[in-house]
């Protein structure tokens, strides 16, 4: 029995210990939940302090619904010293006389919302607000400032956004000496005459969101680093012009500076004009054009900038085009303008990579008389890039063979040789030297065959007639021998004579 009692006591002890553990766990859970709720509350409080609610009173969003908008008036907020003007400043003088803009409660911030006119010329009214520190102009229709900003002793921030402002002078903000932040985002600015003249202690300039025309000069951002660094969002400036649409402005300016450096570093190109005419969409590779026309060049330049695809070198004295075959700088040149030079031979381009990949070749006004027609025919047939070939105003000489092939070439590729109807050549008729358009010449004219002479039988034609007669005789004799052999079993006598 004692042993039974001792067996029951351990079971009771285990039950009691288990019950105690449960109570301890419940109390810990209660404490944890209390700490968690306290931590969440603290975090919420901290978050509320770190991220304040946005102040809608510092923006012109929804300004047209304000009561003052109907009359183009201003209103004063005593809470933060903000003066708001909606569509005009018609009652600004009245507010000043009433003492609401006095020194006791000076206007520290000013919002101009929905300015209706094309030109903003009320800057003299700003001088009535000597304590003004921040000026915001938004959702307005003006396109330019009629005058420069006046001297303001405490104005350090100017925000002009969401307007039709399309032109701004480099001197507009020069007299605002305390200015530190200038925000010109989301307007209609296309270009700047140059870097803005800003105070010595200026810190931040914002220009993103404008439809910038990158064909204009913005290279000062890279050439003048001390001024370029002031443009805080310079990496976000996007070109909207047709030439560089959706390209980064800094990338475009970098390529322009690199092109200028390469052209000025080589003696052959110092007097030439180097331009960037395109940037490939996906790879962002720049494509360059070099124009060396009217510079008395006697040979093609030995050097061209990387990625040059167009060379315009008209009205010079060039006679040799071997660089198109040998010079690696010309490998990517697909457009060659060689008008009005002294080129007399293009046969050395036969079978070259350049001739099989060119896009435009202008040879008008040179000294070409003949060329290998078959070589050009094969090149145009294989070249899918060929778009334009100009051959007129050359002293072509149409012999019987060359003239006929030339006419066939012009007829076959008239969509590429777009001046085909203007290609003329000299030919001899009897003893006269005549000039006519190739496509209008007949074979008789180019081969110097008269109408009467064309009716006479040529000795070769006599020979052809004799050979044709012999063929018919042989075929007739073969048919005769076959007939007699089939029906009479008689073989030709020449077979009997053969051994």
């Amino acid at each position: 029995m004692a042993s039974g009692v001792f067996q029951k006591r351990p079971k009771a002890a285990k039950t009691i210990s288990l019950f105690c553990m449960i109570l301890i766990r419940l109390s810990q859970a209660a404490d944890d939940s209390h700490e968690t709720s306290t931590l969440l509350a603290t975090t919420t409080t901290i978050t509320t302090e770190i991220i304040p609610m946005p102040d809608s009173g510092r923006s012109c969003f929804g300004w047209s619904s304000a009561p003052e908008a109907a009359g183009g008036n201003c209103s004063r907020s005593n809470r933060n010293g903000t003066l708001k003007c909606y569509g005009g400043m018609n009652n600004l003088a009245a507010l000043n006389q009433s003492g609401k803009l006095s020194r006791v409660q000076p206007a520290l911030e000013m919002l101009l919302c929905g300015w209706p006119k094309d030109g903003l010329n009320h800057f003299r009214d700003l001088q009535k607000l000597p304590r003004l520190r921040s000026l915001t102009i938004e959702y307005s229709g003006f396109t330019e400032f009629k005058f420069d900003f006046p001297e303001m002793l405490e104005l350090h921030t100017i925000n002009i956004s969401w307007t039709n402002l399309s032109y701004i002078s480099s001197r507009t903000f020069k007299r605002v000496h305390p200015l530190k932040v200038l925000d010109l985002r989301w307007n209609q600015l296309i270009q700047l005459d140059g870097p803005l003249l800003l105070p010595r202690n200026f810190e931040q300039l914002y220009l993103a969101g404008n439809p910038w025309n990158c064909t204009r000069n913005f290279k000062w951002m890279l050439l003048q680093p001390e001024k370029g660094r002031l443009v805080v969002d310079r990496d976000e400036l996007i070109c909207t012009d047709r030439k560089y649409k959706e390209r980064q402005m800094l990338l475009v300016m970098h390529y322009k500076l690199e092109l200028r450096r390469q052209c000025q570093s080589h003696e052959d190109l110092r007097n030439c004009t180097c331009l960037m005419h395109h940037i490939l969409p996906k790879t962002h590779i720049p494509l360059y054009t070099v124009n060396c026309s009217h510079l008395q060049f006697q040979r093609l330049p030995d050097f061209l900038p990387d990625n040059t695809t167009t060379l315009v070198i008209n009205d010079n004295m060039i006679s040799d085009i071997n660089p198109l075959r040998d010079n690696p700088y010309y490998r990517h040149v697909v457009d060659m303008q060689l008008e009005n030079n002294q080129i007399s031979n293009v046969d050395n381009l036969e079978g070259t990579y350049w001739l099989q990949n060119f896009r435009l070749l202008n040879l008008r006004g040179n000294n070409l008389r003949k060329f290998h027609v078959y070589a050009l025919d094969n090149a145009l047939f294989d070249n899918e890039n060929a778009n334009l070939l100009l051959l007129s105003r050359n002293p072509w000489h149409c012999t019987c063979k060359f003239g006929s092939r030339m006419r066939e070439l012009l007829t076959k590729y008239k969509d590429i040789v777009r001046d085909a109807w203007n290609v003329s050549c000299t030919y001899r008729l009897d003893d006269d030297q005549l000039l006519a358009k190739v496509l209008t010449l007949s074979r008789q004219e180019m081969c110097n065959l008269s109408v009467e002479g064309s009716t006479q039988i040529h000795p070769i034609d006599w020979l052809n007639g004799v050979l044709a007669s012999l063929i018919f005789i042989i075929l007739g004799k073969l048919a005769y021998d076959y007939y007699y052999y089939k029906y009479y079993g008689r073989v030709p006598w020449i077979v009997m004579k053969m051994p």
Side-chain angles (χ1 to χ4, degrees):
M1 182 172 178
S3 62
V5 172
F6 284 110
Q7 289 177 355
K8 291 180 180 179
R9 284 182 177 176
K11 293 182 179 179
K14 290 182 180 179
T15 304
I16 292 171
S17 63
L18 179 61
F19 179 72
C20 293
M21 291 178 63
I22 293 174
L23 290 176
I24 293 172
R25 291 293 178 90
L26 289 174
S27 63
Q28 290 178 351
D31 293 340
D32 291 342
S33 63
H34 176 71
E35 291 178 1
T36 302
S37 62
T38 305
L39 180 60
L40 290 175
T42 305
T43 305
T44 306
T45 304
I46 293 174
T47 304
T48 305
E49 293 176 355
I50 293 176
I51 305 177
M53 295 296 292
D55 187 1
S56 60
R58 298 187 180 183
S59 174
C60 290
F61 183 76
W63 68 272
S64 57
S65 60
E68 295 83 0
N73 295 322
C74 301
S75 65
R76 168 66 188 275
S77 174
N78 293 326
R79 181 169 60 88
N80 54 13
T82 301
L83 179 65
K84 301 180 181 179
C85 298
Y86 303 92
M89 294 185 287
N90 296 331
N91 65 336
L92 186 61
L95 290 176
N96 195 22
Q97 293 177 0
S98 66
K100 292 185 177 181
L101 305 180
S102 62
R103 295 182 179 180
V104 180
Q105 293 180 339
L108 303 180
E109 299 181 3
M110 185 175 186
L111 270 71
L112 292 180
C113 305
W115 194 262
K117 299 181 181 180
D118 291 338
L120 189 61
N121 57 1
H122 282 250
F123 288 152
R124 62 180 180 274
D125 293 329
L126 296 179
Q127 293 180 312
K128 299 177 183 179
L129 307 171
R131 300 290 301 278
L132 191 64
R133 298 178 182 177
S134 175
L135 173 63
T136 299
I137 306 175
E138 293 183 346
Y139 300 99
S140 300
F142 67 92
T143 59
E144 61 179 350
F145 297 119
K146 296 295 185 182
F147 304 100
D148 297 339
F149 271 70
E151 292 186 13
M152 302 294 292
L153 299 179
E154 298 186 21
L155 183 59
H156 58 74
T157 301
I158 298 178
N159 178 7
I160 305 171
S161 302
W162 305 104
T163 73
N164 289 334
L165 180 64
S166 58
Y167 173 77
I168 189 169
S169 171
S170 60
R171 302 176 58 87
T172 300
F173 306 99
K174 181 181 179 181
R175 299 170 64 188
V176 188
H177 301 294
L179 186 62
K180 292 186 177 181
V181 179
L182 176 59
D183 191 342
L184 296 175
R185 287 176 291 186
W186 306 109
N187 294 290
Q188 298 299 319
L189 291 172
I190 298 176
Q191 64 168 339
L192 297 176
D193 292 338
L196 298 178
L197 300 178
L198 298 169
R200 180 177 300 177
N201 296 324
F202 186 83
E203 297 177 359
Q204 298 177 1
L205 174 61
Y206 296 89
L207 297 174
N210 287 280
W212 297 112
N213 184 349
C214 293
T215 61
R216 306 301 176 91
N217 186 11
F218 289 93
K219 292 190 285 290
W220 56 269
M221 288 191 183
L222 298 176
L223 293 175
Q224 303 179 35
E226 69 282 356
K227 294 186 177 181
R229 283 192 294 267
L230 296 177
V231 185
V232 180
D233 56 353
R234 56 188 178 275
D235 292 333
E236 302 175 16
L237 304 185
I238 304 299
C239 307
T240 60
D241 56 279
R242 183 178 179 183
K243 193 173 184 179
Y244 306 119
K245 188 175 182 180
E246 299 180 355
R247 308 291 188 272
Q248 275 190 329
M249 178 186 289
L250 285 184
L251 180 65
V252 174
M253 297 305 121
H254 168 73
Y255 285 149
K256 286 186 175 182
L257 289 176
E258 179 63 20
L259 175 62
R260 184 170 71 177
R261 184 192 66 79
Q262 291 191 44
C263 287
Q264 292 180 352
S265 64
H266 201 278
E267 185 176 0
D268 284 355
L269 304 180
R270 287 179 182 174
N271 296 325
C272 299
T273 302
C274 300
L275 300 173
M276 179 172 60
H277 63 267
H278 188 57
I279 298 179
L280 297 179
K282 295 182 179 180
T283 59
H284 298 289
I285 296 176
L287 304 181
Y288 298 144
T289 295
V290 177
N291 191 336
C292 299
S293 300
H294 306 280
L295 295 177
Q296 298 182 351
F297 271 72
Q298 297 183 356
R299 57 178 177 81
L300 291 175
D302 294 332
F303 170 82
L304 290 176
D306 298 335
N307 303 320
T308 299
T309 61
T310 301
L311 176 61
V312 182
I313 195 163
N314 299 327
D315 299 287
N316 285 284
M317 297 177 289
I318 295 171
S319 59
D320 182 19
I321 58 173
N322 281 329
L324 295 178
R325 180 188 64 186
D326 303 328
N327 194 328
Y329 288 111
Y330 287 81
R331 184 173 182 83
H332 299 293
V333 178
V334 293
D335 299 339
M336 283 292 300
Q337 296 278 0
L338 291 164
E339 186 171 349
N340 296 330
N341 279 279
Q342 299 178 5
I343 300 171
S344 59
N345 183 14
V346 295
D347 292 337
N348 48 4
L349 295 180
E350 180 179 348
T352 60
Y353 172 86
W354 191 91
L355 190 62
Q356 295 176 354
N357 292 273
F358 83 93
R359 183 173 57 189
L360 182 152
L361 177 58
N362 183 0
L363 292 171
R364 289 187 299 188
N366 282 276
N367 295 329
L368 294 171
R369 291 175 58 85
K370 290 183 180 181
F371 64 90
H372 294 163
V373 179
Y374 70 89
L376 184 58
D377 188 359
N378 294 335
L380 293 177
F381 182 79
D382 296 334
N383 188 354
E384 297 179 355
N385 299 323
N387 183 60
L388 181 61
L389 175 63
L390 301 177
L391 299 173
S392 60
R393 293 194 289 110
N394 280 281
W396 300 109
H397 180 64
C398 289
T399 60
C400 181
K401 182 179 179 180
F402 173 75
S404 300
R405 293 183 176 179
M406 181 73 162
R407 185 181 59 185
E408 293 176 2
L409 179 73
L410 297 180
T411 303
K412 183 178 180 180
Y413 297 105
K414 60 182 178 181
D415 292 337
I416 298 177
V417 187
R418 298 177 194 172
D419 62 345
W421 283 100
N422 295 324
V423 177
S424 302
C425 70
T426 58
Y427 67 101
R428 296 189 65 86
L429 183 60
D430 296 333
D431 294 331
D432 298 326
Q433 189 86 0
L434 303 178
L435 179 67
K437 295 180 178 180
V438 175
L439 291 179
T440 63
L441 289 175
S442 63
R443 180 177 178 275
Q444 286 78 14
E445 291 172 323
M446 287 185 288
C447 296
N448 198 16
L449 299 175
S450 62
V451 178
E452 295 179 357
S454 61
T455 59
Q456 298 178 356
I457 300 177
H458 197 272
I460 296 180
D461 295 332
W462 280 106
L463 178 60
N464 291 334
V466 171
L467 294 176
S469 302
L470 291 175
I471 291 173
F472 280 111
I473 293 173
I474 293 173
L475 291 177
K477 183 65 170 65
L478 178 62
Y480 173 80
D481 293 338
Y482 173 76
Y483 175 79
Y484 273 92
Y485 176 76
K486 183 176 181 180
Y487 292 101
Y488 301 103
R490 188 176 64 185
V491 296
W493 63 271
I494 193 172
V495 175
M496 303 296 296
K497 302 296 185 180
M498 294 176 63

